[in-house]
């Protein structure tokens, strides 16, 4: 099991940027693929981005392609989500999640460990 703590959320104007960080406890961070998900009010949790154990493979939902970048630093037990050109529809609570194994998944039920979430609000 790994404990995850997100940070970096906040209030930003449309067109602005934020970088989310997710720090994992334990010494086996490189054994996990990582994902970012988000949940807007009244909506189901949705996949945003994922990265494999080494950082060599990533995947994004179409709505954030070209604007968001997921990356990881295994030496720091940290995964990042750089969010540029933010839009009001990006407003949500963002969660990082860990999946034991080298490959990522696009489905939330394959991730066992979750952070508490960080709020991102984009004003128009």
């Amino acid at each position: 099991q790994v404990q995850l703590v997100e940070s970096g959320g906040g209030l930003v104007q449309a067109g602005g940027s934020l970088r989310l960080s997710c720090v994992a406890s334990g010494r086996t961070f490189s054994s996990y693929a990582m994902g970012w998900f988000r949940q807007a009010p009244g909506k189901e949790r949705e996949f945003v981005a994922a990265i494999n154990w080494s950082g060599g493979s990533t995947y994004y939902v179409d709505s954030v392609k070209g604007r968001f970048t997921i990356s990881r630093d295994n030496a720091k037990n940290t995964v990042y989500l750089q969010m540029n050109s933010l839009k009001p529809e990006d407003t949500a609570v963002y969660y990082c999640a860990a999946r034991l194994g080298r490959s990522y998944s696009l489905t939330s039920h394959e991730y066992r460990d979750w952070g508490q979430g960080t709020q991102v609000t984009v004003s128009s």
Side-chain angles (χ1 to χ4, degrees):
Q1 188 175 1
V2 61
Q3 284 74 48
L4 304 172
V5 179
E6 303 101 332
S7 62
L11 173 64
V12 64
Q13 289 188 334
S17 298
L18 285 172
R19 187 176 81 154
L20 306 183
S21 299
C22 173
V23 179
S25 65
R27 296 181 290 176
T28 59
F29 181 63
S30 60
S31 299
Y32 292 83
M34 300 296 295
W36 284 97
F37 293 78
R38 66 187 179 186
Q39 187 166 19
K43 296 187 177 181
E44 293 187 354
R45 188 173 298 185
E46 68 167 346
F47 169 83
V48 177
I51 190 166
N52 75 336
W53 71 281
S54 67
S57 179
T58 59
Y59 193 87
Y60 301 90
V61 68
D62 284 348
S63 60
V64 308
K65 283 181 181 177
R67 301 188 299 121
F68 290 12
T69 302
I70 187 171
S71 61
R72 67 189 295 161
D73 185 337
N74 286 347
K76 296 182 178 180
N77 283 10
T78 303
V79 62
Y80 305 96
L81 186 67
Q82 177 68 44
M83 306 186 295
N84 298 329
S85 302
L86 282 161
K87 304 175 181 180
E89 51 264 44
D90 294 319
T91 295
V93 177
Y94 283 71
Y95 300 89
C96 71
R99 179 179 187 268
L100 186 61
R102 295 192 166 193
S103 301
Y104 55 74
S105 170
L106 309 187
T107 55
S108 60
H109 72 263
E110 295 198 18
Y111 290 82
R112 183 182 68 178
D113 301 305
W114 292 79
Q116 82 289 351
T118 186
Q119 176 70 47
V120 172
T121 303
V122 184
S123 63
S124 57

